[in-house]
Amino acid sequence: MDIRGDQALGCAKNDKYYQTPTFMPWRPEIHILARMKLDTLSLQELIGRAAQGDHPCFAQLYARTHTHLFGVAIRILGNGQAAEDVLQEAYVSIWKNASGYRSDVGGQSIQPMTWLIAIVRNKALDALRVRTRRKESELSQDDALAEESMGTNAGANPSALQLLDQATQALHIEVCMSALEGSYRQSLALAYYQGLSHTEVAAQMGAPLGSVKAWIRRGLDKLKSCLALQGVVA
Amino acid sequence: MRYTDTKLLEHLAASYVLGTLQGGAQRRFERLRADRVDVQMLVTQWETRLGQLALSIPAQAPSSDLWPAIAARTQGPKGKLAPHTPPAWLGWLLPAGFGFGGLAVGVLAASAVFFVAPTLFVSSEQIAMRSGERLPPSYVGLLTDAAGNGKVLVSSLRHGKAMTVKIIGPITAPPLGRFVLWAHPSEGVPFAVGTVPAKGSAVSTLPDTSEKLFSKVSKLTITLETEATPTSPHGPVMFSGNCAKLW
């Protein structure tokens, strides 16, 4: 990403506190201070300012979140160009609907990243559903080359199950979740990290569709109870 | 399908957020979510849970062309977004234009059937609600002060778990303590159902469905309490009113 000049240094120019200083090469400390002040803005504050039309703050929101959100999109879509298209749509949607972000819904705290991830996942899943309607033979050579160049082959990245295990470990629920059989966790991981449908999970695992549906449902129930023990949406 | 089973709603919300709810079921659930606050809250809860799993996904940098493309579409006054160039990977759709003609005819035919015989798709009760002829089954309460002035409106869908408390007349925030809303069953002791905002409205989650909590409640009161978690109303009654079933 390349965000230079005013946008990299602070939010709206007319903002007294975060005013972007005139570029003075002989006074580098001014620019360092402006950047430090900008760093004190939380994601929630950046979204709030973006909702008021503050584009530099929106740029800062992008700077802080886009690599993680691109990771989410590319995990589902594989193809780098498709993931970039989805991310572009997602950020335009975020800009248009920033005022719709609520940090609290019915006493339930909503983290900004949760809101952003949901937007990107939904758009990535929609794009994936459109794409899976294409016959595999219709995939162009360009697409295949793009996937290769982005290094999205399974060998280069952790598997869906590995990602689930890493997440449960970081959330301190790995012991709780390990009560589930491997096939349950595998099916949940494929559905979440790769956006696969029930049918696609069943095909990939070579398991009956009914079993996969039951595994995923059981996996979701277990995830809910394990997270509740950690105070997440208890 | 009647969306009154809380377990079913929970399952649908989880599947929707996970992405395994597709096709017609997904569209029906999205319509339901647009109509019901309790369903929106379930979705939010599942987005929070499943969002935690995304934290293990490795970050990756997109190409440097992405931000300029986003900036070009978002800079300028809000609402005047630059037109979007269709993504390259959608180019395959263009040759399929003729196929979409057939699809459009199908959609028109289905729409005609919907308008001629809507009860084939949704119940007459849902049609009445959507057309504005009937309100959804709800529990409502209008609380007034001693002079009979309307002050607080409480509402909750019959089978939902979300309760809205809306201030409709000016009330003065107490310097000490807080306003607590109580439900008074016709038999049994009153129980607290939430606090009251000083202005505007607030949505809170009930411990159970309104049907189970309010089916035998005839009266609502708001008292001024100084305890953090009062178990019974001790303070002065500020506002009161009846709890009515709206169906």
Side-chain angles (χ1 to χ4, degrees):
Chain A
M1 188 190 60
D2 184 15
I3 301 174
R4 295 194 179 93
D6 293 343
Q7 290 184 354
L9 292 172
C11 295
K13 285 183 176 180
N14 57 3
D15 184 289
K16 189 177 175 183
Y17 184 68
Y18 299 104
Q19 191 169 17
T20 304
T22 306
F23 182 63
M24 291 183 286
W26 60 92
R27 296 287 306 277
E29 74 278 9
I30 292 178
H31 301 277
I32 293 168
L33 281 172
R35 187 183 290 274
M36 285 173 67
K37 286 176 181 175
L38 177 61
D39 288 344
T40 63
L41 285 179
S42 65
L43 288 182
Q44 188 177 330
E45 288 168 324
L46 290 173
I47 293 172
R49 283 169 176 254
Q52 295 165 13
D54 189 330
H55 200 269
C57 273
F58 175 61
Q60 181 62 18
L61 179 70
Y62 175 87
R64 283 207 213 157
T65 57
H66 77 283
T67 55
H68 184 67
L69 295 181
F70 185 61
V72 172
I74 206 165
R75 187 76 217 176
I76 291 173
L77 291 163
N79 181 300
Q81 185 56 51
E84 288 199 3
D85 289 337
V86 158
L87 208 58
Q88 182 181 150
E89 289 305 313
Y91 274 102
V92 171
S93 175
I94 290 162
W95 170 249
K96 289 169 71 175
N97 302 307
S99 58
Y101 169 68
R102 297 281 178 275
S103 60
D104 187 284
V105 175
Q108 169 68 47
S109 170
I110 312 297
Q111 295 299 314
M113 220 42 207
T114 299
W115 185 68
L116 297 170
I117 288 169
I119 291 171
V120 171
R121 270 199 95 242
N122 286 339
K123 291 203 177 292
L125 289 171
D126 286 346
L128 183 67
R129 302 295 174 240
V130 170
R131 199 174 65 181
T132 50
R133 292 185 200 120
R134 300 164 67 184
K135 290 179 183 174
E136 197 172 342
S137 60
E138 289 175 347
L139 274 171
S140 70
Q141 196 174 359
D142 288 346
D143 286 338
L145 288 172
E147 286 188 25
E148 198 174 325
S149 68
M150 296 300 295
T152 55
N153 56 71
N157 282 323
S159 71
L161 185 57
Q162 284 173 322
L163 286 177
L164 180 67
D165 289 343
Q166 288 169 12
T168 56
Q169 197 173 356
L171 293 163
H172 306 295
I173 58 170
E174 73 272 29
V175 174
C176 183
M177 286 294 284
S178 66
L180 279 176
E181 285 180 27
S183 52
Y184 290 46
R185 288 184 290 123
Q186 171 81 0
S187 56
L188 178 62
L190 287 171
Y192 182 75
Y193 290 105
Q194 290 179 214
L196 299 189
S197 66
H198 285 135
T199 309
E200 290 163 338
V201 173
Q204 185 147 335
M205 294 180 67
L209 179 60
S211 300
V212 165
K213 286 183 177 178
W215 293 344
I216 290 178
R217 187 168 185 163
R218 179 82 191 280
L220 287 166
D221 289 343
K222 190 66 179 173
L223 178 70
K224 179 184 174 183
S225 62
C226 292
L227 285 172
L229 292 173
Q230 292 296 318
V232 180
V233 200
Chain B
M1 183 185 293
R2 291 181 62 84
Y3 297 104
T4 54
D5 183 343
T6 51
K7 283 187 179 174
L8 172 66
L9 287 174
E10 176 86 22
H11 172 61
L12 290 174
S15 302
Y16 174 72
V17 177
L18 183 65
T20 51
L21 195 66
Q22 294 175 22
Q26 181 188 356
R27 289 189 291 277
R28 283 194 297 277
F29 184 77
E30 284 172 341
R31 286 198 296 272
L32 190 70
R33 183 179 64 153
D35 287 344
R36 287 177 48 173
V37 176
D38 59 329
V39 177
Q40 291 166 17
M41 288 180 67
L42 285 175
V43 169
T44 299
Q45 288 172 347
W46 273 106
E47 284 177 348
T48 300
R49 292 187 189 105
L50 290 173
Q52 305 287 318
L53 300 184
L55 301 179
S56 63
I57 298 175
Q60 289 201 47
S63 73
S64 57
D65 297 334
L66 182 57
W67 170 250
I70 294 169
R73 293 179 61 194
T74 54
Q75 273 173 327
K78 276 208 165 185
K80 292 184 180 177
L81 297 170
H84 171 50
T85 306
W89 58 272
L90 280 178
W92 69 275
L93 281 173
L94 297 177
F98 290 112
F100 281 108
L103 178 65
V105 171
V107 169
L108 284 173
S111 303
V113 173
F114 180 82
F115 284 110
V116 172
T119 50
L120 288 175
F121 297 85
V122 291
S123 70
S124 57
E125 187 182 60
Q126 286 175 310
I127 292 168
M129 280 192 282
R130 288 179 188 281
S131 65
E133 294 169 13
R134 191 184 303 169
L135 289 168
S138 311
Y139 284 93
V140 294
L142 174 63
L143 288 85
T144 63
D145 61 12
N149 300 312
K151 293 290 185 182
V152 181
L153 187 65
V154 181
S155 60
S156 179
L157 289 171
R158 182 183 180 186
H159 298 289
K161 283 187 171 182
M163 177 184 70
T164 302
V165 178
K166 184 178 182 182
I167 306 303
I168 57 173
I171 61 174
T172 306
L176 286 174
R178 56 188 182 146
F179 291 134
V180 178
L181 176 64
W182 299 91
H184 298 256
S186 50
E187 293 176 7
V189 295
F191 57 93
V193 287
T195 55
V196 179
K199 60 181 180 179
S201 64
V203 179
S204 58
T205 307
L206 297 167
D208 209 330
T209 63
S210 296
E211 178 70 0
K212 290 188 179 170
L213 292 174
F214 296 124
S215 62
K216 293 179 181 174
V217 169
S218 56
K219 185 182 173 187
L220 298 171
T221 60
I222 292 174
T223 61
L224 178 58
E225 302 291 341
T226 51
E227 284 182 46
T229 52
T231 52
S232 59
H234 292 298
V237 175
M238 309 303 290
F239 313 111
S240 64
N242 293 327
C243 180
K245 296 175 180 177
L246 193 66
W247 66 85

